[in-house]
């Protein structure tokens, strides 16, 4: 699986959009970009994933650059409950593929 | 109606004991996983089963033995527990093992070996 690079930590004001970047310059054509988050002492929570196109769901939006070498997770209106570690993961399309977690970005939403 | 449920949530045991962590999913998924999160917070895959068949087996000591009685259950049995086995163990499942299908995690089982 391709390696991802994320900032170690970010801060965001409550009510503002949180934009979390991720670099995956070695991504191949059959690899998905996944985002998960882990709130302290809880299991990893799925947020969103995409292959080539931008995606949006009730939690967030995923913007993937045209060359697919980077992506941005957008939480449109961050709340205090969005404080968590956010993981950007590249995952192969093939059977038997896994999620390989890195260190992620610690997002802190401030009041 | 938790999708992926694990028991026990907390487990404290002595070195040398044998213990099991149970996992059940009610999502109708074919693939289940065990992940381990150590004290440094790194999440690493241990095992994956698809329809009761082992498909991923990372470099895990053979004291760890997963057992899948049916595709809705994947239990983790650990023999001769060591201090270094203290960690949070997460069970997960997905529709199948392909990359386009989301993996959903349980809430974790906190194992402390003393």
């Amino acid at each position: 699986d391709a390696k991802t690079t994320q900032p170690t930590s970010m801060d965001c004001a409550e009510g503002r959009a949180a934009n979390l970047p991720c670099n995956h310059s070695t991504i191949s054509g059959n690899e998905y970009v996944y985002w998960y988050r882990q709130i302290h002492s809880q299991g990893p929570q799925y947020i969103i994933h995409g292959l080539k196109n931008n995606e949006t769901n009730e939690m967030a939006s995923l913007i993937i650059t045209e060359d697919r070498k980077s992506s941005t997770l957008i939480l449109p209106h961050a709340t205090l409950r969005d404080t968590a570690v956010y993981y950007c993961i590249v995952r192969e399309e093939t059977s038997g593929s896994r999620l390989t977690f890195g260190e992620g970005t610690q997002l802190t939403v401030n009041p | 109606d938790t999708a992926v449920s694990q028991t026990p949530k907390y487990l404290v045991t002595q070195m040398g004991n044998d213990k099991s962590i149970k996992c059940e999913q009610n999502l109708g998924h074919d693939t289940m996983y065990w992940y381990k999160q150590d004290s440094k917070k790194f999440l690493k895959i241990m095992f994956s089963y698809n329809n009761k068949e082992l498909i991923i087996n990372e470099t895990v000591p053979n004291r760890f033995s997963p057992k899948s009685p049916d595709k809705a259950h994947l239990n983790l049995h650990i023999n001769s527990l060591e201090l270094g086995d203290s960690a949070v163990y997460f069970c997960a499942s997905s529709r199948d093992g392909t990359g386009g299908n989301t993996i959903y995690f349980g809430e974790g089982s906190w194992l402390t070996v003393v």
Side-chain angles (χ1 to χ4, degrees):
Chain A
D1 298 328
K3 181 178 171 59
T4 62
T5 304
Q6 300 177 249
T8 302
S9 62
M10 292 183 65
D11 285 281
C12 177
E14 188 178 19
R16 303 296 293 270
N19 298 285
L20 290 89
C22 179
N23 286 322
H24 31 79
S25 58
T26 61
I27 194 171
S28 60
N30 68 342
E31 289 181 314
Y32 288 85
V33 179
Y34 273 83
W35 283 85
Y36 280 78
R37 72 182 182 184
Q38 189 172 25
I39 297 170
H40 182 62
S41 300
Q42 297 182 19
Q45 180 187 21
Y46 166 76
I47 302 173
I48 200 166
H49 76 282
L51 185 60
K52 296 180 181 178
N53 299 321
N54 298 336
E55 302 288 345
T56 296
N57 62 20
E58 65 279 3
M59 288 183 69
S61 295
L62 173 61
I63 308 299
I64 303 175
T65 58
E66 192 169 343
D67 63 7
R68 302 186 68 241
K69 292 185 177 182
S70 66
S71 61
T72 301
L73 177 74
I74 302 173
L75 307 178
H77 304 287
T79 70
L80 299 179
R81 287 178 291 181
D82 291 323
T83 292
V85 178
Y86 287 76
Y87 297 98
C88 170
I89 303 165
V90 171
R91 183 183 177 202
E92 288 184 358
E93 187 180 29
T94 56
S95 179
S97 70
R98 67 198 66 186
L99 290 171
T100 302
F101 288 82
E103 297 186 26
T105 296
Q106 171 66 58
L107 175 69
T108 302
V109 181
N110 301 303
Chain B
D1 58 342
T2 305
V4 181
S5 58
Q6 306 176 219
T7 55
K9 186 171 177 68
Y10 299 101
L11 180 58
V12 180
T13 189
Q14 290 187 328
M15 279 195 304
N17 284 350
D18 303 339
K19 291 293 178 184
S20 293
I21 305 172
K22 296 184 177 181
C23 178
E24 175 182 6
Q25 54 92 5
N26 63 4
L27 298 167
H29 288 167
D30 285 345
T31 305
M32 296 185 72
Y33 310 79
W34 276 108
Y35 278 76
K36 177 181 179 181
Q37 188 167 37
D38 59 24
S39 58
K40 295 182 179 180
K41 304 298 184 184
F42 288 115
L43 266 161
K44 294 182 180 177
I45 191 167
M46 300 173 69
F47 302 102
S48 173
Y49 271 71
N50 186 64
N51 264 323
K52 304 194 314 179
E53 180 181 346
L54 181 67
I55 56 173
I56 295 175
N57 185 354
E58 290 297 290
T59 307
V60 177
N62 58 15
R63 297 183 296 103
F64 290 79
S65 54
K67 289 182 172 54
S68 182
D70 55 63
K71 70 176 189 177
H73 296 83
L74 181 61
N75 303 322
L76 184 64
H77 189 75
I78 314 171
N79 289 327
S80 303
L81 278 156
E82 301 177 356
L83 293 177
D85 297 332
S86 296
V88 187
Y89 293 86
F90 291 99
C91 180
S93 74
S94 64
R95 185 182 304 174
D96 61 31
T98 58
N101 287 302
T102 301
I103 297 176
Y104 296 95
F105 287 80
E107 288 303 307
S109 295
W110 270 252
L111 172 65
T112 301
V113 183
V114 297

